[in-house]
């Protein structure tokens, strides 16, 4: 508690708490007058929802560290810079997992299932009532935002992404379903992406260089369109490619 009347708690990683469905999220939301200093409000709301907690409209005040400086945020909270106002962050158990994973903006999601059908790593699953959910956040490949780039409604948010709607920036109604990368979702999600991935494994022994049209060129094109890190593409194994082939042959439900 400080002179402003606020009790602060610092957490090591809000994304990690959401992935673990920590009880702290419900505790904070239930206390009323919650103020969250983190990233974009759309990302924070989606993180809480991923953790099983819905933040009611008007019940939370957000302070965005991506767009405001620390001094500006402290001033808005009525706190003098330099005050020791928070509890120490809890020590985290040793783990190499980086909490990089998508969350779903349910207000924008139309349940088209393109994210689930595209993902190679079984990050998404359907609930009992056929709603797409992020069921296995730790399966996601660090720094890969590809599923967000094929979403026709920009409903997939990666809070740790660098910029744009993918990291949680608000979306103007005039943007509609236009993809932030500049291409239509249909183009990015088309057969060329699937075929490029499939050919990579089929021709793995030859994928060390070659003329235009070779697996290397196809993968380079895919990397540029979907911004998939090269190390993620390089990590795909035959089993993942086989799974992708099955999904590519099956129409979206």
């Amino acid at each position: 508690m400080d002179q402003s009347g606020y009790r602060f708690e610092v957490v090591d990683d809000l994304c990690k708490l959401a992935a673990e469905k920590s009880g702290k999220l419900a505790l904070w939301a239930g206390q009323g007058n919650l103020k969250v200093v983190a990233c974009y409000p759309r990302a924070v709301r989606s993180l809480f929802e991923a953790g099983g907690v819905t933040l009611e409209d008007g019940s939370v005040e957000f302070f965005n560290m991506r767009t405001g400086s620390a001094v500006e945020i402290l001033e808005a909270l009525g706190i003098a810079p330099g005050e020791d106002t928070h509890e120490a962050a809890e020590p985290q158990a040793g783990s190499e997992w980086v909490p990089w994973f998508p969350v779903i903006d349910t207000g924008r999601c139309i349940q088209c299932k393109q994210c689930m059908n595209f993902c190679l790593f079984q990050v998404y699953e359907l609930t009992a009532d056929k709603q797409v959910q992020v069921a296995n956040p730790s399966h996601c490949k660090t720094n890969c935002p590809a599923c967000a780039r094929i979403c026709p409604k920009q409903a997939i948010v990666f809070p740790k992404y660098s910029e744009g709607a993918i990291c949680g920036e608000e979306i103007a109604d005039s943007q509609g379903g236009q993809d932030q990368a500049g291409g239509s979702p249909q183009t990015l999600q088309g057969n060329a992406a699937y075929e490029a991935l499939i050919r990579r494994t089929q021709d793995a022994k030859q994928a060390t260089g070659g003329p235009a049209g070779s697996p290397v060129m196809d993968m380079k094109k895919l990397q540029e369109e979907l911004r998939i890190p090269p190390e993620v593409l390089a990590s795909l194994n035959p089993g993942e490619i086989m799974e992708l082939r099955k999904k590519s042959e099956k129409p979206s439900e």
Side-chain angles (χ1 to χ4, degrees):
M1 188 79 70
D2 74 340
Q3 64 182 15
S4 66
Y6 300 132
R7 178 180 178 274
F8 281 79
E9 185 171 355
V10 175
V11 297
D12 185 68
D13 193 324
L14 184 59
C15 293
K16 188 171 188 294
L17 291 182
E20 295 172 343
K21 299 188 183 301
S22 170
K24 283 192 171 187
L25 301 176
L27 177 64
W28 294 333
Q31 289 179 341
N33 195 30
L34 178 63
K35 301 179 187 297
V36 179
V37 181
C39 53
Y40 287 98
R42 195 164 72 94
V44 174
R45 286 185 178 279
S46 298
L47 281 169
F48 269 76
E49 191 155 344
V53 179
T54 299
L55 294 178
E56 301 296 334
D57 290 342
S59 66
V60 184
E61 189 173 0
F62 301 97
F63 297 86
N64 189 347
M65 292 190 294
R66 287 190 180 238
T67 59
S69 69
V71 171
E72 290 171 337
I73 292 173
L74 287 173
E75 288 179 348
L77 288 167
I79 300 170
E83 288 186 30
D84 184 11
T85 61
H86 63 266
E87 296 180 358
E90 293 185 1
Q92 301 295 312
S95 173
E96 295 183 359
W97 179 56
V98 176
W100 167 281
F101 59 92
V103 289
I104 300 173
D105 181 347
T106 55
R108 297 190 63 84
C109 180
I110 58 173
Q111 293 297 322
C112 68
K113 302 180 178 63
Q114 288 195 36
C115 55
M116 185 180 70
N117 292 336
F118 181 84
C119 180
L120 284 173
F121 311 112
Q122 293 79 51
V123 171
Y124 300 93
E125 292 179 1
L126 291 179
T127 63
D129 57 350
K130 304 298 183 183
Q131 301 294 297
V132 175
Q133 65 174 342
V134 177
N136 302 299
S138 63
H139 289 192
C140 191
K141 295 292 186 178
T142 302
N143 296 326
C144 179
C147 59
R149 300 185 71 81
I150 58 90
C151 177
K153 288 296 183 179
Q154 297 175 291
I156 304 298
V157 176
F158 283 86
K160 288 186 169 70
Y161 193 71
S162 58
E163 60 185 5
I166 291 177
C167 79
E169 285 185 10
E170 294 300 326
I171 302 168
D173 291 339
S174 60
Q175 287 180 259
Q178 184 68 18
D179 182 79
Q180 286 291 90
S184 70
Q186 290 75 18
T187 298
L188 297 177
Q189 194 264 343
N191 289 334
Y194 292 122
E195 290 302 320
L197 286 167
I198 292 168
R199 285 197 298 273
R200 177 199 176 276
T201 293
Q202 291 175 336
D203 300 311
K205 293 181 180 180
Q206 303 173 10
T208 56
S214 71
V216 168
M217 294 301 293
D218 289 330
M219 296 306 287
K220 181 178 180 181
K221 183 173 184 290
L222 181 62
Q223 177 188 340
E224 292 173 349
E225 287 184 341
L226 296 181
R227 309 287 174 86
I228 302 176
E231 61 269 21
V232 173
L233 296 178
S235 72
L236 301 182
N237 61 45
E240 290 165 343
I241 297 300
M242 287 296 292
E243 181 65 21
L244 182 62
R245 180 187 286 113
K246 293 177 184 177
K247 291 182 178 181
S248 68
E249 293 171 351
K250 182 188 301 183
S252 297
E253 297 180 11

